[in-house]
Amino acid sequence: MKGIVLAGGSGSRLYPITAVLNKQLLPVYDKPMIYYPISVLMLIGIKEILVISTEEAQPTFKQLLGDGSSLGLRFEFAVQKEPRGLAEAFIVGADFIGDENVALILGDNIFFGHGLPQQLRIAAKGKAGATTFAYRVGDPERYGVVEFNDEGLPIAFTEKPEESRSSWAVTGLYFYDSAVIDIAMQLTPSSRGELEIVDIHQAYLEAGKMRVERLGRGVAWLDTGTHESLLQAGQFVQTIEERQNQKIACLEEIAFRMGYIDAGAFEELAHRYGQTTYGTYLKRIAEEAD
């Protein structure tokens, strides 16, 4: 399975701080926002990742992430010229996906929870069809939502309904087989002028190939698209990291613990950060491993 991080868009809800800076480059406590979705893909076991961004932001992402080799990964980069909807990611990334399965994660989504990586790995093993994840919310009108029947099976997807019959929001993490490319190419823009991800879900649902897994109470799903939610996400990460003395979305640590890099490469990464708090943390991990 390959992975795509969609890090485009104008970030207009976060103006003026995103007027000259891509939203996914903003800090969420102690690391760039894009580290969080990348970490999810890494924990699933995905090592080939395409970062889709605006043309203006692409050089900065390349400078930040490099080619991924220091983490045992391979990063590629592509441009979404205009924010024409989430589903366009599969058109932009068609050559990258090829005939493999693909995971798409939104660049402003943060996932955290005990047992979550194992749940995602199991879901990623599905060979055909699509899988997405639902999370119970109190304000479903802000999200795309999924409606279930009495047997707990998905029966409909709706984008930001004015009156929702479901409190289950569809999160920004999706697994698809390679058929998603053809489905995306056949979509027509919605009234918003965008290729909607909900229409892809509906196509898989009508074909009987759509699975929806519910994320339970032990999982946190954070959207960082507003000033308030960005601040709350930073406070959440700070609280967890200080209480547990472990970092969330530390790419270097994940690469080491997942076996993507060896101890020598990990120690080299730790020394890059010198005596900073981040560097000190990595050095402690290296010493504990020894």
Side-chain angles (χ1 to χ4, degrees):
M1 176 174 281
K2 293 183 177 180
I4 296 177
V5 179
L6 186 55
S10 62
S12 59
R13 289 187 297 167
L14 286 169
Y15 277 2
I17 57 176
T18 52
V20 294
L21 183 67
N22 182 282
K23 175 175 63 175
Q24 285 81 11
L25 292 168
L26 294 174
V28 178
Y29 185 48
D30 58 350
K31 57 193 78 70
M33 186 186 296
I34 196 169
Y35 274 34
Y36 295 87
I38 289 175
S39 73
V40 172
L41 298 180
M42 292 175 67
L43 288 167
I44 293 171
I46 295 172
K47 301 172 71 175
E48 296 180 66
I49 299 172
L50 175 68
V51 177
I52 299 178
S53 67
T54 62
E55 188 170 7
E56 296 79 9
Q58 188 182 82
T60 309
F61 281 116
K62 287 183 175 180
Q63 183 179 6
L64 173 67
L65 300 171
D67 64 3
S69 58
S70 64
L71 297 171
L73 308 176
R74 180 168 67 86
F75 286 123
E76 294 188 23
F77 301 87
V79 168
Q80 185 182 33
K81 295 182 179 180
E82 297 178 6
R84 295 188 60 244
L86 305 185
E88 192 183 32
F90 305 109
I91 300 174
V92 174
D95 290 341
F96 170 79
I97 298 168
D99 59 359
E100 295 193 37
N101 290 1
V102 62
L104 172 67
I105 188 167
L106 305 188
D108 62 357
N109 275 216
I110 296 175
F111 295 84
F112 177 79
H114 178 69
L116 179 62
Q118 292 84 351
Q119 181 180 1
L120 298 182
R121 287 180 206 137
I122 292 171
K125 290 181 179 179
K127 298 299 183 182
T131 301
T132 191
F133 301 88
Y135 192 87
R136 188 184 293 275
V137 297
D139 50 354
E141 67 279 357
R142 289 184 54 211
Y143 306 95
V145 299
V146 55
E147 185 179 348
F148 297 97
N149 62 17
D150 293 338
E151 286 74 42
L153 299 175
I155 56 174
F157 293 89
T158 310
E159 182 65 25
K160 296 179 180 178
E162 293 183 5
E163 295 184 7
S164 178
R165 293 188 293 180
S166 172
S167 59
W168 289 94
V170 178
T171 71
L173 175 62
Y174 324 92
F175 298 157
Y176 303 98
D177 58 22
S178 60
V180 70
I181 298 172
D182 290 335
I183 294 173
M185 288 182 173
Q186 294 171 18
L187 295 181
T188 56
S190 67
S191 59
R192 302 193 303 166
E194 296 188 359
L195 301 180
E196 304 286 0
I197 198 78
V198 69
D199 291 336
I200 288 183
H201 296 159
Q202 197 64 34
Y204 274 103
L205 181 64
E206 291 172 2
K209 297 181 179 180
M210 185 76 226
R211 297 176 296 276
V212 180
E213 296 203 11
R214 306 188 203 201
L215 299 179
R217 291 187 177 186
V219 174
W221 170 54
L222 306 175
D223 173 3
T224 55
T226 66
H227 297 102
E228 294 79 9
S229 60
L230 179 61
L231 176 61
Q232 291 165 1
Q235 292 172 330
F236 174 84
V237 173
Q238 179 187 20
T239 299
I240 296 296
E241 291 190 352
E242 290 184 352
R243 295 283 292 180
Q244 297 187 353
N245 198 27
Q246 293 178 315
K247 289 198 175 297
I248 299 173
C250 178
L251 304 187
E252 297 83 0
E253 180 184 5
I254 294 171
F256 177 51
R257 296 195 186 281
M258 293 286 292
Y260 298 164
I261 57 175
D262 61 23
F266 180 64
E267 290 180 8
E268 183 177 336
L269 290 174
H271 284 291
R272 288 186 185 180
Y273 296 99
Q275 298 305 312
T276 63
T277 302
Y278 198 86
T280 301
Y281 174 78
L282 294 179
K283 291 172 186 175
R284 177 173 66 82
I285 297 298
E287 290 171 359
E288 290 176 353
D290 289 340

